[in-house]
Amino acid sequence: VDYRFFAFIILVLVALIIFIIIYTRKDIVVKKRVVSLGKNKDGSARMRIVVTVVNKGFHRLSNVMVLDSVPGAAEVPKQFGTAEPTSISKKGTGSSLIWRIQNLGAGEERLFSYVANSKRRLHQRIVLPKAHARYKKGNRDVVVSSSGLQFFGG
């Protein structure tokens, strides 16, 4: 019995599976978290929010756009960590913060932090939307999202 044909079929299937995994794999991981939660003098919530972007891929990525939204229940952030957003825009439902990363090397991590003052009291439910990163992989646009945050302040 000649097994070369079956070996060839298995080899083609393995190569196809590897190609699909590499092609559909997201190179970037986005995480959003609240690293400190406090109370302002008026009882409203004060949150330090950190968005982390990590290139898990094997190649440098160019022109990565990081977008985070602040809900309408919070003021437009004015305090930022090491990198200020490239643009801040006020929308009807809140504010958008956009950071642009020219080059993100393989394995490189970037942190973007800001302070958001909520108009809600600390003991009320606070919902923060997902953060997103957009980049090009070949000829297609890829969008990666963090998980959203929802918590009760206490």
Side-chain angles (χ1 to χ4, degrees):
V1 176
D2 189 7
Y3 291 104
R4 284 185 285 181
F5 177 73
F6 295 113
F8 176 74
I9 294 294
I10 290 173
L11 184 65
V12 168
L13 286 175
V14 168
L16 184 64
I17 290 170
I18 290 172
F19 175 76
I20 289 172
I21 289 171
I22 289 173
Y23 188 74
T24 60
R25 178 177 168 227
K26 306 251 195 269
D27 292 322
I28 289 183
V29 174
V30 180
K31 294 179 183 174
K32 181 176 181 176
R33 58 196 163 103
V34 175
V35 294
S36 69
L37 180 65
K39 187 172 17 175
N40 292 320
K41 291 178 183 176
D42 64 355
S44 62
R46 177 182 173 88
M47 302 168 283
R48 176 165 293 281
I49 299 166
V50 176
V51 177
T52 306
V53 179
V54 183
N55 181 356
K56 295 280 190 178
F58 304 112
H59 304 287
R60 178 178 56 89
L61 298 173
S62 300
N63 301 321
V64 178
M65 183 177 76
V66 179
L67 168 72
D68 195 15
S69 298
V70 179
E75 299 171 3
V76 177
K78 295 178 181 72
Q79 293 180 318
F80 301 97
T82 56
E84 288 199 20
T86 308
S87 69
I88 301 172
S89 60
K90 183 89 170 130
K91 298 188 295 187
T93 59
S95 306
S96 291
L97 308 173
I98 297 175
W99 290 269
R100 295 193 188 280
I101 304 170
Q102 294 292 67
N103 293 303
L104 188 63
E108 189 175 351
E109 174 179 284
R110 298 275 177 98
L111 299 172
F112 304 100
S113 68
Y114 59 93
V115 174
N117 291 306
S118 175
K119 297 173 187 171
R120 295 180 184 239
R121 300 281 178 200
L122 191 57
H123 65 277
Q124 292 177 313
R125 182 176 148 219
I126 299 171
V127 178
L128 297 175
K130 298 176 180 182
H132 308 281
R134 173 177 282 150
Y135 64 99
K136 279 202 174 289
K137 185 174 186 178
N139 291 329
R140 64 187 176 103
D141 283 330
V142 179
V143 177
V144 180
S145 300
S146 70
S147 58
L149 296 173
Q150 177 175 208
F151 55 91
F152 288 89

